[in-house]
Amino acid sequence: MKYDIVIVGSGLGGLVCGYILSKHGYKVAILEKNNQMGGCLQTFKRNGVTFDTGMHYIGSMDEGQILHRFFDYLSLTGDVKLRKLDESGFDIISFFDHQYRFAMGYERFEEELSRSFPSERSNIKDYILKIRKIASESPLYNLQEISQNVLLNTESVKTSVNDFIGSVTNDERLQNVLAGNLPLYAGVKNKTPLYIHALINNFYIQSAYRIVGGSDSIAFSLAASIQRHGGDIFKNHEVTSFCTDADKVTSVQLKNGERIEGKYFISNIHPQATIDRLDTPLIRKAYRERISHLENTISNFTVYIKFRENTVPYFNSNFYHYNTENVWECNNYSPGNYPLNYLYMHQASTVDCKFSEGALLISYMNFDEVKKWVGTPIGRRGEDYETFKRIKAELLLDNLEKNFPGIRRNIEIYSTSSPLTYLDYTATKAGSMYGVLRDKNFPTQTLVSQRTRIPNLFMTGQNINSHGILGVTIGAIITCAEFLGVNAIIKEINAN
């Protein structure tokens, strides 16, 4: 069968594109190389506990807020169960001597932080006003009709996060607190542009939720809708190349030798992985080199914890801890001072659980630490790899114990994943958490467009627009706009 649109990769971007385009009558096929679809929406069960792999909590899901409106449009609202995080502190930013709470709602956010920084109240208010302004001037984040090709506040693209925060306050501790959820975007000092920080923080301050039972419920719901609209989803269908003629892509070649033809193609895999699958003069050398030299965000190491039954009360906040006064240092850790930071989160097994079944403990990790095991088979990388992971896990657990005394005795068992895991399952370069690193110094060069040099090949996913559930959903709309027109989609969402 020849499809109207062939989508390579079943991550959130591919599924949202599949939903929108199949709903509008396009015959869509989604090809997924793994046995499980969903990309970073995937979950897995270990020792009886379900763990998320990438989508850990979401924001702006109160009635009328932006993600809630997208969920309504994508028919997700009834299928995805949510548990609201602690309104007085959905995120807790922790240093050696103090903890600071990010509260939901702009006024509560200001009030809570002002308790710790009473002399900084006016600066905290100014911070909130400025990030809200950036969000309000980004049309797709407000479902405003677009009359020109400007999707983001232009000044926020050219300003770094740290420069912006430094312009708001001279208090160094407050600067670090405001940047304390840095692992949400793996920011790099003097590089990461302000818009990423502003849009993410504005997103969560409005409201923040955990997905009950695992984020794969989003993938299953979208897949079911796509199939109802006549689309096909094929798992265990690894694409090895895009086949071209003199001016366009004609089909994709699968690892099993099969070819699938289409009129249009959308790649939901990393841009470099896409380019690597294109052996054609249609992709110019300069473009190929630009994509291959893009810097990517750091990867991470995760400990998946199963607690002894009914021993650990459910913790309804996300806990960001730093073993340094400067949050921007954490991606430059050394083996001798690891870990400089960690993020600790419980899994929400039900909407009203009193005790936690399991938790995630996440810290940055450079790919160089695991590079020597590249190419080794999953689950059979050798005892030295297992020892390496065990040492890192124990260091993280020792750190966790300092902030949560007695937690270790309530851990029944744990497992781990490294950057190699992300490389194998999500195909991101060097196991990167969030794909391409945006750089305010080179805004054009680090922007990956939904368009490629081939007229019927487009891209989607976390490298288009931005990462995270909101960024990827908006990126998918930008991709689908190539077929339907962006204002037509916006009008449809607003009418929903």
Side-chain angles (χ1 to χ4, degrees):
M1 176 183 289
K2 183 174 182 178
Y3 290 90
D4 295 325
I5 301 171
V6 176
I7 301 172
V8 179
S10 69
L12 177 63
L15 290 171
V16 172
C17 283
Y19 177 95
I20 295 172
L21 294 170
S22 64
K23 183 179 179 180
H24 282 85
Y26 287 92
K27 182 64 177 174
V28 171
I30 299 179
L31 310 177
E32 170 55 49
K33 75 166 187 173
N34 293 317
N35 188 47
Q36 187 176 354
M37 65 182 180
C40 290
L41 294 172
Q42 293 178 57
T43 66
F44 67 93
K45 202 158 194 172
R46 189 69 50 83
N47 304 309
V49 179
T50 299
F51 293 102
D52 292 312
T53 59
M55 193 68 68
H56 302 305
Y57 65 114
I58 61 178
S60 293
M61 271 299 293
D62 283 352
E63 186 78 33
Q65 292 176 352
I66 185 64
L67 191 63
H68 191 281
R69 295 171 72 186
F70 282 133
F71 266 47
D72 281 348
Y73 173 67
L74 296 169
S75 305
L76 288 168
T77 311
D79 294 339
V80 181
K81 295 180 181 178
L82 301 173
R83 178 167 181 162
K84 200 166 195 176
L85 285 160
D86 187 343
E87 293 187 28
S88 68
F90 63 94
D91 281 352
I92 297 173
I93 313 302
S94 167
F95 293 90
F96 306 100
D97 57 347
H98 202 78
Q99 294 175 5
Y100 306 87
R101 302 175 72 84
F102 285 3
M104 280 184 221
Y106 300 115
E107 291 181 6
R108 277 187 293 192
F109 185 91
E110 176 193 331
E111 188 63 36
E112 184 62 44
L113 269 190
S114 295
R115 288 188 185 132
S116 298
F117 301 95
S119 64
E120 292 289 318
R121 179 182 287 273
S122 64
N123 291 332
I124 295 167
K125 181 189 285 287
D126 186 41
Y127 167 82
I128 293 168
L129 289 172
K130 285 178 175 175
I131 67 168
R132 291 183 70 180
K133 183 175 186 288
I134 291 166
S136 71
E137 292 176 356
S138 304
L140 278 171
Y141 287 79
N142 296 280
L143 294 175
Q144 301 166 349
E145 186 172 320
I146 296 172
S147 57
Q148 53 185 329
N149 192 29
V150 178
L151 301 178
L152 294 165
N153 173 293
T154 51
E155 191 58 36
S156 70
V157 174
K158 299 182 288 185
T159 303
S160 71
V161 177
N162 54 287
D163 281 345
F164 163 71
I165 294 176
S167 73
V168 170
T169 175
N170 292 321
D171 187 303
E172 291 187 4
R173 173 55 68 88
L174 179 56
Q175 289 175 5
N176 281 278
V177 170
L178 291 173
N181 57 6
L182 201 63
L184 285 176
Y185 51 95
V188 175
K189 189 174 184 179
N190 299 325
K191 287 188 177 182
T192 302
L194 166 58
Y195 77 87
I196 291 177
H197 169 92
L199 293 172
I200 286 174
N201 275 19
N202 184 68
F203 178 60
Y204 285 112
I205 289 171
Q206 291 186 63
S207 64
Y209 290 80
R210 287 206 177 113
I211 301 169
V212 174
S215 55
D216 57 355
S217 60
I218 296 173
F220 293 145
S221 176
L222 288 170
S225 294
I226 291 165
Q227 289 166 334
R228 280 196 301 272
H229 296 150
D232 293 325
I233 300 174
F234 300 100
K235 294 181 285 187
N236 299 307
H237 275 54
E238 182 175 355
V239 171
T240 56
S241 63
F242 292 88
C243 307
T244 61
D245 60 18
D247 55 10
K248 65 184 183 300
V249 178
T250 57
S251 64
V252 290
Q253 176 85 41
L254 303 183
K255 191 175 182 179
N256 65 9
E258 184 183 353
R259 281 196 181 195
I260 295 181
E261 296 182 344
K263 296 178 185 175
Y264 299 95
F265 297 81
I266 297 173
S267 177
N268 185 41
I269 60 178
H270 192 281
Q272 183 170 343
T274 303
I275 297 304
D276 288 345
R277 287 165 172 76
L278 279 160
D279 182 14
T280 171
L282 294 172
I283 299 295
R284 297 175 185 171
K285 184 180 179 182
Y287 179 75
R288 194 180 291 274
E289 288 184 352
R290 181 174 80 81
I291 294 295
S292 66
H293 286 95
L294 287 171
E295 184 179 359
N296 286 268
T297 54
I298 196 169
S299 188
N300 69 77
F301 181 83
T302 303
V303 183
Y304 305 93
I305 300 168
K306 179 183 181 181
F307 294 120
R308 300 186 190 282
E309 189 174 0
N310 296 336
T311 61
V312 177
Y314 175 76
F315 184 53
N316 202 28
S317 302
N318 308 302
F319 190 83
Y320 295 82
H321 180 72
Y322 293 91
N323 291 323
T324 171
E325 292 290 343
N326 184 355
V327 300
W328 297 97
E329 292 179 346
C330 296
N331 52 0
N332 294 317
Y333 71 90
S334 66
N337 63 13
Y338 182 88
L340 287 178
N341 73 321
Y342 68 76
L343 168 58
Y344 175 60
M345 295 178 291
H346 283 198
Q347 297 284 153
S349 55
T350 66
V351 294
D352 57 358
C353 56
K354 299 294 188 292
F355 291 92
S356 179
E357 294 180 353
L360 299 165
L361 186 57
I362 306 170
S363 187
Y364 287 159
M365 180 169 281
N366 290 309
F367 190 74
D368 284 347
E369 290 213 62
V370 296
K371 203 169 185 178
K372 67 179 179 179
W373 293 291
V374 170
T376 55
I378 299 170
R380 301 195 305 276
R381 302 197 194 276
E383 185 54 39
D384 56 341
Y385 176 68
E386 296 303 320
T387 299
F388 165 82
K389 292 198 298 175
R390 191 160 49 248
I391 290 170
K392 296 294 186 182
E394 292 295 322
L395 286 169
L396 277 165
L397 292 168
D398 286 346
N399 271 264
L400 183 66
E401 179 75 16
K402 292 174 185 176
N403 283 301
F404 296 86
I407 195 76
R408 292 204 64 156
R409 67 171 174 265
N410 295 321
I411 296 174
E412 181 177 316
I413 195 169
Y414 68 79
S415 57
T416 60
S417 68
S418 81
L420 286 178
T421 315
Y422 283 84
L423 177 67
D424 289 333
Y425 285 100
T426 66
T428 58
K429 188 176 179 182
S432 166
M433 280 196 286
Y434 306 122
V436 173
L437 175 69
R438 273 67 174 189
D439 189 339
K440 65 96 180 177
N441 304 293
F442 306 101
T444 305
Q445 294 91 323
T446 55
L447 171 70
V448 179
S449 172
Q450 75 277 10
R451 298 174 184 170
T452 71
R453 302 291 179 173
I454 301 176
N456 70 334
L457 174 62
F458 303 92
M459 294 193 194
T460 197
Q462 66 179 356
N463 298 290
I464 308 304
N465 182 59
S466 186
H467 67 278
I469 190 166
L470 183 59
V472 171
T473 299
I474 289 173
I477 289 170
I478 292 169
T479 303
C480 290
E482 295 292 329
F483 301 88
L484 305 171
V486 68
N487 287 325
I489 300 173
I490 290 171
K491 190 177 292 186
E492 197 172 75
I493 296 169
N494 285 330
N496 200 60

